[in-house]
Amino acid sequence: MKCKWIMSMKIQNFLPPKASLETNDFFHPATAVLSDGRWMMTFQRLQNCDCYGGAEILFSEDNGQSWGEPRLVTELRTTPLNDELLFGIADVRPLVSEDGGSVVLVGCDTTYTNRGAACYDHVSIDPVLYEHGAYYTVFNVKDNTFGARRILRNPALDPDKLWRVSCAQSTFASDGDWILPAHFEHRSNIEYEKGYFSPRFAVETVKVHLEGDELVPVAWGTQLFHENKRGFIEPSLIRGQKDYLMTIRAEDGFAYVSRSDDGLQWADPVPWRFDDGTALVTESTQQHWLTAGGRIFLVYTRKCDANANDMRYRSILFMAEVDDTTAMPVLKKATEIELFPQRERDGIHGLLGNFHVCNLSDGTALVCDSYLYQNVEGDDIVEHFNEVALKRVTC
């Protein structure tokens, strides 16, 4: 297996406690390969305390060797709700149609104060101010234009509850329709951390058909629940040789995996394990699928000696091959590598984990992440430095 570096961008910013939106640094990077050969990168600028600017894009016409100037996707920009609150669309990822002619930029609704995410400031939000759902816009590659901002909802759920497609990795049904992973609020007022209350979430999949610049729901899948802290969040999907696989972020020290014959009806999830029986010990961080050389891999963070003192063990990004011939998939321990190794700046380990995988038709894959080095005073990030890195994986 070979992993080739494509590019690395370094941008440094010093962040005042009350920064204006649409400024500062690259974060949440993700890539997509378009039908005309261009590469698209999306990102959001880190503001403070789980707070991000509107989605931005930039393009490369030479397979990632150089990139054009970023521009704001106005359809997903941050807007004021009132004098105190801002409405944003976070965790945006580009999902490419099978023919590469359309890209759905999809994320989740969120609210901010000037300090950061509104939930940390215990701000009461009037539900009439905006609608919950998966916010998206469709980029037409041929015309180089975005469609209107739209909302994908689950009509079977309470519209006042959160329903999210965030940090998503989707797949396709046999008929070419999209299968999207989602998580949704099913129980409120969980004390996640001291003084911070959060909903508890469950996950499901939805089958959608792309008609012009609109995603039309076709079917909804099994709802999967986990009664620990914030439950199940940020699932990601892949279609294997025989069935569909889902990996799920959780908050009990493990990550979970499930499988499905049709991408909608899912087996009870189980914690990820290696083929030697040991558990994948991780902490509230997403995982994504990678295919290379006809083989399936999982990309993830986990606890090890080198990162045991880092937040959520997020200073190394690992990858291992998946054995999906067993009743539930397991990871082949002997194949594990450090896909993004640990980096240090001024004695601080760069944090990883808000990453994206783009599987390519030539049997290779792109993995994009951002090393985040940050200094925190009280509840505020007062300085941060990002290294956005893109890797190509070839087997």
Side-chain angles (χ1 to χ4, degrees):
M1 186 188 307
K2 298 179 180 178
C3 301
K4 179 182 178 183
W5 283 105
I6 299 295
M7 51 78 86
S8 180
M9 294 186 292
K10 295 184 179 181
I11 302 171
Q12 186 173 16
N13 286 277
F14 293 86
L15 179 66
K18 294 185 178 181
S20 62
L21 294 177
E22 318 308 344
T23 60
N24 303 315
D25 218 355
F26 283 61
F27 203 63
H28 271 305
T31 52
V33 177
L34 313 183
S35 58
D36 60 8
R38 288 181 296 167
W39 290 11
M40 172 192 284
M41 179 181 288
T42 64
F43 69 94
Q44 296 181 262
R45 298 179 190 263
L46 178 65
Q47 310 298 312
N48 198 359
C49 192
D50 215 10
C51 177
Y52 309 100
E56 299 184 48
I57 58 170
L58 61 164
F59 294 96
S60 173
E61 297 184 355
D62 55 10
N63 296 335
Q65 299 303 318
S66 62
W67 294 84
E69 291 297 316
R71 66 181 176 92
L72 180 69
V73 180
T74 57
E75 292 78 6
L76 302 182
R77 68 185 181 275
T78 299
T79 55
L81 289 173
N82 54 34
D83 292 340
E84 184 179 23
L85 291 171
L86 296 158
F87 171 78
I89 300 168
D91 299 345
V92 173
R93 295 293 185 269
L95 309 180
V96 185
S97 62
E98 282 196 302
D99 62 7
S102 300
V103 185
V104 178
L105 268 61
V106 61
C108 62
D109 60 80
T110 188
T111 50
Y112 303 124
T113 65
N114 285 331
R115 192 185 71 83
C119 58
Y120 292 107
D121 282 344
H122 305 285
V123 176
S124 178
I125 302 169
D126 189 335
V128 304
L129 289 174
Y130 69 95
E131 296 181 78
H132 290 308
Y135 281 75
Y136 68 95
T137 178
V138 179
F139 179 74
N140 184 299
V141 175
K142 183 178 179 180
D143 296 338
N144 221 44
T145 58
F146 283 98
R149 186 178 79 179
R150 298 185 182 275
I151 310 174
L152 181 65
R153 310 173 185 85
N154 184 338
L157 297 178
D158 184 339
D160 292 337
K161 303 296 185 182
L162 294 171
W163 187 85
R164 294 179 151 180
V165 177
S166 62
C167 301
Q169 185 179 18
S170 64
T171 190
F172 296 97
S174 57
D175 59 7
D177 283 345
W178 252 301
I179 299 179
L180 302 180
H183 65 274
F184 62 93
E185 177 183 355
H186 80 94
R187 181 180 171 189
S188 299
N189 298 322
I190 302 300
E191 188 168 12
Y192 176 60
E193 295 174 352
K194 185 177 181 180
Y196 167 45
F197 291 84
S198 168
R200 178 166 288 168
F201 294 96
V203 301
E204 66 179 356
T205 51
V206 55
K207 185 179 181 183
V208 298
H209 182 72
L210 181 62
E211 294 183 3
D213 65 352
E214 184 174 5
L215 296 175
V216 179
V218 177
W220 305 93
T222 310
Q223 296 181 349
L224 303 175
F225 301 90
H226 186 47
E227 300 302 318
N228 185 281
K229 294 187 179 179
R230 289 187 296 175
F232 281 150
I233 52 179
E234 294 177 359
S236 279
L237 304 175
I238 194 170
R239 186 180 178 190
Q241 295 293 328
K242 296 181 180 180
D243 54 12
Y244 297 82
L245 304 176
M246 179 194 296
T247 185
I248 310 170
R249 173 181 169 181
E251 302 195 310
D252 59 355
F254 303 101
Y256 284 74
V257 61
S258 180
R259 68 192 320 156
S260 167
D261 291 333
D262 60 0
L264 293 172
Q265 306 306 311
W266 294 89
D268 290 339
V270 299
W272 270 107
R273 293 191 174 274
F274 292 96
D275 54 4
D276 64 0
T278 58
L280 172 63
V281 179
T282 184
E283 186 59 47
S284 191
T285 303
Q286 63 199 242
Q287 315 89 48
H288 294 301
W289 304 97
L290 184 151
T291 56
R295 297 149 63 191
I296 297 176
F297 298 83
L298 189 73
V299 184
Y300 53 91
T301 60
R302 69 166 178 85
K303 183 180 181 180
C304 65
D305 291 342
N307 65 15
N309 295 320
D310 294 327
M311 185 188 78
R312 302 182 192 167
Y313 319 130
R314 288 177 62 166
S315 62
I316 302 173
L317 200 63
F318 292 92
M319 182 176 80
E321 185 177 357
V322 174
D323 179 359
D324 66 345
T325 63
T326 54
M328 275 294 185
V330 295
L331 300 172
K332 298 181 180 180
K333 185 69 173 180
T335 68
E336 185 183 67
I337 63 169
E338 292 185 5
L339 183 61
F340 285 5
Q342 196 170 70
R343 290 185 180 178
E344 186 174 304
R345 177 178 180 266
D346 297 333
I348 300 172
H349 289 162
L351 301 179
L352 296 160
N354 291 305
F355 68 105
H356 185 71
V357 174
C358 176
N359 295 307
L360 306 182
S361 59
D362 65 358
T364 65
L366 302 175
V367 184
C368 197
D369 205 339
S370 177
Y371 285 90
L372 170 63
Y373 310 86
Q374 64 182 15
N375 288 322
V376 178
E377 292 183 2
D379 294 329
D380 293 312
I381 303 170
V382 296
E383 178 187 5
H384 72 267
F385 175 90
N386 276 58
E387 290 180 294
V388 178
L390 178 63
K391 247 181 183 180
R392 189 166 193 161
V393 178
T394 304
C395 287

